[in-house]
Amino acid sequence: MKILIINAGSSSLKYQFMDSDTGDVYAKGLCERIGIDGRLTHKVPGRENVCRDIPMPTHNEAITAVLEVMLDPVTGVISSTDEIDAVGHRVLHGGAEFSESCVITDECIAAIERCIPFGPLHNPANLMGIRACMEAMPGKKQVAVFDTAFHMTMPPRAYIYAIPYEYYEKDGVRRYGFHGTSHRYIAGQALRALGRENNPEGTKVISCHLGNGSSLAAIVDGKVIDTSMGLGPLAGFPMGTRSGDVDPTILEYLMGIYGWDIKTMLNVLNKKSGVLGISGVSSDFRDLTAAAESGNERAALALEKFAYEVKKYIGSYAAAMGGVDAIVFTAGVGENDAAMRMRIASGLEYMGVKMDAERNATRGVEEISAEDSKVKVFVIPTNEELMIAMDTAELCK
Ligand code: AMP
């Protein structure tokens, strides 16, 4: 089936038009500056990119612009919207309401609305994308694919926070986890690489999604038993600009000194922290590596801290699972930064991880552990869009 995938943010909207059976991408692009002015970038494999300034006061105009550029005789890839079999939406937070993807109905929209308090920035934007598609393509089947859904198999001991239980019962405060669509794809690919896709029972995989936002998931029998992000995506280990877990005392202390309200404090933790905060250089690992190589000590410290915290999570998940068969690296840093992979995985020989430096340094090699490594280490490019397309196709058959 031919599926249009929409990932709507508050002022941006990414789209991809792809074949759910083959994974072929016909077109993809980005609408930026929605609500400000509006800019569309449209890419079709083998053709020159199209960049246009188009007024986009709301997501409705953005979707209209996407459909127009896809239908255009010169830039387009379809001659009628009938060629779009269904639309799949990435939705950030499904709370405890969704453990899998669902066809968008009034009830589904109401449930996504109920989850807005958990994803106050993303869920309203995701809903704008859904509503804009409903208006532009009335009657077209649409599916919501949640970032949280794959983590719903976690046992209570992993998702409960040690605060009064009533806040879990009454207010839904618990670990939800994110990057679920990526971790699900990686879990499936890891089982394939282990030759265990048909008998996942007993397999233990650690999926390391290391990008601008990062999280780890511990996956037993193909199901998540723990993950590093929490109620929101700020939790876990340091990321590009997010702090990861911090001692809550820091919040009270800094808010007291600088007179910040909680919004300002959270802005510091979300946007100015992580490896950017430590280094003062950049959130991009390429910049950090270059800076560290030219002697910037804080950039070096940021990289060291990142590797150290990821390594600690790997150790704790191996302990939680009682062993590990495979560690998989994915996303921008995980797929591209061989030095960071080496830093993270070195020193884990005691638990059976033995890296092959040459394989690790070779682009496109999937298995980067040594032949005699007890624990397999893989680099597998993630493909969240394909997962969204496959779910959408499955639910709209
Ligand atoms: P993502 O969020 O998965 O798109 O990852 C984006 C991040 O990947 C960027 O901010 C970079 O830090 C990192 N990245 C991308 N390419 C490379 C590379 N060749 N070497 C190191 N880091 C990279």
Side-chain angles (χ1 to χ4, degrees):
M1 285 171 85
K2 291 182 176 175
I3 309 293
L4 177 63
I5 298 147
I6 300 291
N7 183 358
S10 54
S11 66
S12 70
L13 184 147
K14 284 191 208 135
Y15 63 95
Q16 191 155 317
F17 184 50
M18 74 187 294
D19 191 305
S20 60
D21 300 315
T22 61
D24 288 346
V25 176
Y26 303 117
K28 63 178 177 180
L30 169 69
C31 297
E32 295 169 278
R33 301 176 61 85
I34 301 170
I36 306 165
D37 37 32
R39 185 171 179 76
L40 174 112
T41 310
H42 178 73
K43 300 177 183 177
V44 175
R47 291 195 209 154
E48 235 174 72
N49 293 351
V50 177
C51 275
R52 283 187 191 154
D53 290 326
I54 301 170
M56 298 175 188
T58 71
H59 287 67
N60 286 357
E61 290 79 13
I63 288 291
T64 303
V66 170
L67 292 179
E68 273 175 15
V69 77
M70 287 201 1
L71 284 161
D72 186 285
V74 177
T75 60
V77 288
I78 51 173
S79 50
S80 152
T81 54
D82 291 346
E83 291 176 43
I84 301 171
D85 292 312
V87 183
H89 293 267
R90 182 179 184 180
V91 179
L92 180 83
H93 219 303
E97 309 240 12
F98 297 99
S99 55
E100 43 195 43
S101 305
C102 79
V103 174
I104 294 173
T105 57
D106 290 347
E107 296 90 82
C108 171
I109 289 181
I112 297 171
E113 278 173 339
R114 284 196 293 278
C115 296
I116 287 176
F118 299 132
L121 295 179
H122 293 84
N123 274 33
N126 302 151
L127 281 167
M128 283 193 265
I130 290 170
R131 291 196 169 110
C133 286
M134 284 173 135
E135 212 170 299
M137 295 173 278
K140 184 79 69 193
K141 277 205 173 165
Q142 302 201 56
V143 165
V145 179
F146 299 92
D147 246 31
T148 48
F150 187 54
H151 299 298
M152 282 299 109
T153 48
M154 273 187 287
R157 65 170 180 267
Y159 70 65
I160 203 77
Y161 286 114
I163 61 173
Y165 196 75
E166 66 191 89
Y167 301 122
Y168 162 64
E169 282 188 306
K170 277 204 323 235
D171 305 310
V173 174
R174 52 161 283 177
R175 182 186 303 282
Y176 290 101
F178 297 88
H179 296 135
T181 312
S182 173
H183 289 302
R184 180 154 62 103
Y185 179 78
I186 292 303
Q189 291 297 311
L191 292 178
R192 171 198 49 78
L194 289 169
R196 298 290 298 273
E197 64 267 57
N198 295 321
N199 62 331
E201 282 69 32
T203 54
K204 295 161 181 169
V205 171
I206 299 177
S207 167
C208 307
H209 179 110
L210 309 178
N212 195 25
S214 298
S215 68
L216 256 65
I219 300 165
V220 176
D221 308 336
K223 297 188 184 93
V224 174
I225 62 129
D226 208 344
T227 190
S228 58
M229 284 180 169
L231 176 79
L234 179 55
F237 50 90
M239 310 175 207
T241 65
R242 294 182 214 145
S243 61
D245 295 341
V246 291
D247 178 350
T249 313
I250 296 171
L251 278 67
E252 186 192 24
Y253 181 67
L254 287 180
M255 287 165 79
I257 294 177
Y258 296 106
W260 293 336
D261 59 10
I262 188 68
K263 260 205 149 101
T264 311
M265 182 73 243
L266 287 177
N267 190 49
V268 170
L269 296 177
N270 270 306
K271 303 266 170 72
K272 299 181 178 170
S273 298
V275 291
L276 167 69
I278 296 174
S279 67
V281 171
S282 173
S283 62
D284 192 305
F285 283 64
R286 288 164 287 198
D287 301 338
L288 292 174
T289 303
E293 278 168 4
S294 57
N296 186 312
E297 286 179 14
R298 274 171 53 189
L301 176 62
L303 293 170
E304 196 182 338
K305 173 72 174 170
F306 182 83
Y308 176 68
E309 295 296 335
V310 175
K311 191 192 293 272
K312 283 197 331 195
Y313 261 100
I314 289 174
S316 70
Y317 284 170
M321 296 192 294
V324 53
D325 299 313
I327 298 169
V328 188
F329 289 101
T330 194
V333 178
E335 291 168 28
N336 297 301
D337 194 336
M340 180 51 72
R341 291 195 298 262
M342 203 53 163
R343 262 184 207 243
I344 293 168
S346 61
L348 295 179
E349 289 79 8
Y350 74 92
M351 54 179 258
V353 178
K354 195 168 156 197
M355 289 285 278
D356 182 318
E358 208 179 305
R359 284 184 182 175
N360 181 49
T362 311
R363 202 159 262 283
V365 171
E366 182 173 87
E367 189 175 327
I368 57 169
S369 45
E371 214 50 64
D372 59 344
S373 181
K374 282 205 207 97
V375 177
K376 301 279 177 211
V377 185
F378 300 117
V379 178
I380 301 179
T382 194
N383 196 342
E384 292 166 275
E385 289 79 14
L386 180 61
M387 288 263 79
I388 296 174
M390 285 167 65
D391 278 11
T392 304
E394 183 64 30
L395 288 169
C396 295
K397 264 205 286 231

